[in-house]
């Protein structure tokens, strides 16, 4: 079936772990937008949710770092972080190993994709799923794009990965939704945590909502690092979703800097 | 330069309960398995978040080690600022500070 849904959202651990310290009105508006995205995923009646995230050394380290990896497990557990620290209780999400395998085989025709039959979810996946799939009742297929340990995959390849993912999703019988998670500009886990370049974020979102391949892939990593921090490298997940929804333009459901969450909180979808 | 192994140790601690148990039982014995400089070993034994930050430990790894050691969020951010004041700029990696002000 053709891909049935494409969206993006933030995943910063403070969203749940430091919830009580945010402006309540802003926080609840953001949470409502996250739940809206979750409701729209369900309304698209997917058989599985592919979640394209940028993990933070939960499963992958510099001894053997894949640029792209897709999960092929029967189930996934998380959070790998202290549940109290993250504000999310441990839980298990069902996987879809046979479907994963078919998608991986298809994607491999265009992208040298790694796969993993073991995968512990960190906040990059747990925080979005906390809102999007609160009942953990839809099979999940995780994808990681290395955004932490350079060298990093070029932005043009992230878009191409999205195209390959779309082709694979369109080729299988199942209905598949895809969500990308990550920050736009942010400087997490530094003394600058909470700094957000709103102008840079809004310019990036203009490019993403227009699904403008040329402008989305025009950034150099040096520019991104300077203007958007090391957290800005996670735009790769948003760009991959744009690639998966090439030709579709988007709608922004929520954007607001919430400094104690350490990111400009974002919820958006592309109308495929 | 063995920053790689400092980070590998913390990566293993963050993701493996058995390694955390060894950390709790006999951290010195666990450290013998990693090729560390004396400064790195001391920073780990002392739980010196500020020095580990300045050495260039990736923030996403260090953040969870600070949590494991019981640092409340604000104290963790403060420790990095104190590390910069005491030891100078971050020596390696991507997790440099800019203005150092942040949200706390």
């Amino acid at each position: 079936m053709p891909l049935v849904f494409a969206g993006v959202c933030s995943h910063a651990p403070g969203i749940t772990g430091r919830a009580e310290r945010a402006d309540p009105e802003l926080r609840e508006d953001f949470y409502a937008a996250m739940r809206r995205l979750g409701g729209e995923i369900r309304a698209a009646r997917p058989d599985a949710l592919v979640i394209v995230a940028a993990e933070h050394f939960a499963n992958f380290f510099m001894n053997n770092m894949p640029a792209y990896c897709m999960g092929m497990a029967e189930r996934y557990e998380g959070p790998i972080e202290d549940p109290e620290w993250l504000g999310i209780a441990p839980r298990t999400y069902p996987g879809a190993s046979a479907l994963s395998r078919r998608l991986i085989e298809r994607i491999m025709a265009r992208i040298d994709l790694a796969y993993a039959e073991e995968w512990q979810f960190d906040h990059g996946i747990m925080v979005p799923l906390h809102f999007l799939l609160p009942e953990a009742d839809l099979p999940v297929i995780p994808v990681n794009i290395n955004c932490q340990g350079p060298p990093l995959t070029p932005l043009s390849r992230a878009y191409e990965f999205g195209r390959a993912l779309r082709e694979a999703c369109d080729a299988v019988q199942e209905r598949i939704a895809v969500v990308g998670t990550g920050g736009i500009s942010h400087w997490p886990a530094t003394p600058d945590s909470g700094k957000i370049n709103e102008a840079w974020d809004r310019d990036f979102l203009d490019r993403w909502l227009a699904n403008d391949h040329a402008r989305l892939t025009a950034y150099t990593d040096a520019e991104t690092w300077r203007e958007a921090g090391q957290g800005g490298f996670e735009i790769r997940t948003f760009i991959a979703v744009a690639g998966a929804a090439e030709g579709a333009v988007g709608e922004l459901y929520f954007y607001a800097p919430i400094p104690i969450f350490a990111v400009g909180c974002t919820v958006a979808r592309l109308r495929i | 330069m063995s920053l790689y192994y400092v980070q590998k140790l913390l990566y293993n601690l963050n993701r493996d309960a058995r390694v955390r148990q060894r950390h709790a039982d006999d951290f010195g014995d666990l450290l013998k398995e990693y090729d560390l400089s004396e400064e790195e070993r001391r920073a780990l034994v002392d739980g010196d978040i500020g020095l580990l930050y300045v050495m260039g430990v990736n923030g996403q790894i260090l953040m969870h080690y600070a949590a494991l050691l019981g640092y409340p969020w604000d104290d963790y951010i403060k420790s990095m600022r104190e590390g910069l004041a005491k030891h100078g700029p971050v020596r390696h990696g991507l997790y440099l500070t800019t203005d150092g002000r942040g949200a706390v």
Side-chain angles (χ1 to χ4, degrees):
Chain A
M1 293 288 291
L3 187 71
V4 298
F5 185 91
V8 292
C9 66
S10 304
H11 71 213
I15 292 169
T16 48
R18 297 187 293 281
E20 76 289 351
R21 297 179 63 177
D23 174 81
E25 192 172 339
L26 208 50
R27 179 190 66 211
E28 293 308 315
D29 285 351
F30 171 49
Y31 284 3
M34 291 284 272
R35 294 189 185 103
R36 176 185 177 187
L37 198 71
E40 293 187 359
I41 290 170
R42 302 312 298 235
R45 296 180 291 107
D47 296 307
L49 172 63
V50 173
I51 187 160
V52 181
E55 74 143 39
H56 317 78
F57 304 107
N59 302 278
F60 309 109
F61 188 68
M62 282 80 80
N63 60 341
N64 190 5
M65 179 65 80
Y68 300 90
C69 187
M70 179 175 270
M72 200 170 74
E74 295 283 352
R75 66 186 69 81
Y76 304 94
E77 295 176 351
I80 195 169
E81 298 95 339
D82 175 17
E84 190 175 339
W85 180 87
L86 187 60
I88 298 178
R91 67 189 321 172
T92 300
Y93 287 89
S97 57
L99 174 58
S100 285
R101 181 167 183 146
R102 281 181 278 130
L103 292 175
I104 291 163
E105 287 172 345
R106 286 270 180 179
I107 294 169
M108 277 181 167
R110 296 173 65 168
I111 297 284
D112 295 320
L113 176 70
Y115 63 87
E117 294 193 56
E118 293 182 43
W119 194 310
Q120 298 184 74
F121 287 171
D122 77 358
H123 65 264
I125 291 179
M126 290 302 292
V127 169
L129 291 186
H130 176 74
F131 297 96
L132 302 180
L133 295 180
E135 304 301 324
D137 54 354
L138 180 69
V140 173
I141 298 175
V143 171
N144 188 63
I145 301 177
N146 170 30
C147 299
Q148 282 293 334
L152 307 177
T153 188
L155 302 184
S156 59
R157 292 294 289 168
Y159 199 96
E160 183 61 20
F161 171 78
R163 286 170 168 158
L165 174 63
R166 172 64 175 272
E167 185 179 85
C169 291
D170 287 353
V172 298
Q173 285 191 324
E174 289 86 347
R175 298 170 62 86
I176 297 176
V178 61
V179 169
T181 87
I184 313 181
S185 73
H186 60 313
W187 286 256
T190 74
D192 308 328
S193 177
K195 176 178 173 177
I196 295 154
N197 186 342
E198 182 173 350
W200 198 91
D201 285 359
R202 291 194 181 278
D203 178 67
F204 174 80
L205 285 170
D206 283 346
R207 303 180 194 206
W208 189 83
L209 292 164
N211 207 335
D212 186 334
H213 173 271
R215 294 178 69 227
L216 276 173
T217 57
Y219 302 100
T220 67
D221 278 350
E223 289 167 348
T224 300
W225 192 62
R226 186 177 65 244
E227 302 295 330
Q230 68 287 112
F233 294 150
E234 292 178 348
I235 59 173
R236 284 166 172 77
T237 64
F238 283 39
I239 291 172
V241 171
E246 187 170 24
V249 297
E251 184 177 350
L252 183 64
Y253 289 173
F254 187 90
Y255 173 84
I258 303 182
I260 195 62
F261 291 172
V263 73
C265 294
T266 307
V267 181
R269 72 176 287 188
L270 293 169
R271 297 278 178 186
I272 53 176
Chain B
M1 185 61 234
S2 43
L3 176 63
Y4 173 85
Y5 290 104
V6 176
Q7 297 187 101
K8 187 161 189 186
L9 165 64
L10 298 180
Y11 162 74
N12 288 333
L13 265 176
N14 290 339
R15 72 187 310 275
D16 190 335
R18 290 167 300 184
V19 181
R20 284 197 292 278
Q21 188 60 52
R22 291 190 60 198
H23 171 264
D25 292 344
D26 189 344
F27 194 26
D29 185 60
L30 176 63
L31 289 176
K32 288 177 187 168
E33 296 177 11
Y34 296 85
D35 182 12
L36 305 172
S37 72
E38 180 52 29
E39 184 188 42
E40 291 162 345
R41 199 189 68 80
R42 195 180 68 248
L44 288 163
V45 169
D46 293 346
D48 189 337
I49 295 299
L51 180 53
L52 290 167
Y53 171 66
V54 167
M55 284 176 177
V57 173
N58 184 293
Q60 296 291 343
I61 294 175
L62 186 60
M63 176 170 66
H64 298 301
Y65 187 53
L68 176 69
L69 296 179
Y71 280 74
W73 182 256
D74 290 4
D75 291 350
Y76 153 64
I77 299 291
K78 186 178 164 198
S79 295
M80 289 189 286
R81 290 177 182 148
E82 289 173 350
L84 291 167
K86 185 174 179 182
H87 303 291
V90 173
R91 300 171 193 168
H92 299 281
L94 298 172
Y95 277 70
L96 307 184
T97 188
T98 54
D99 56 25
R101 289 198 289 271
V104 295

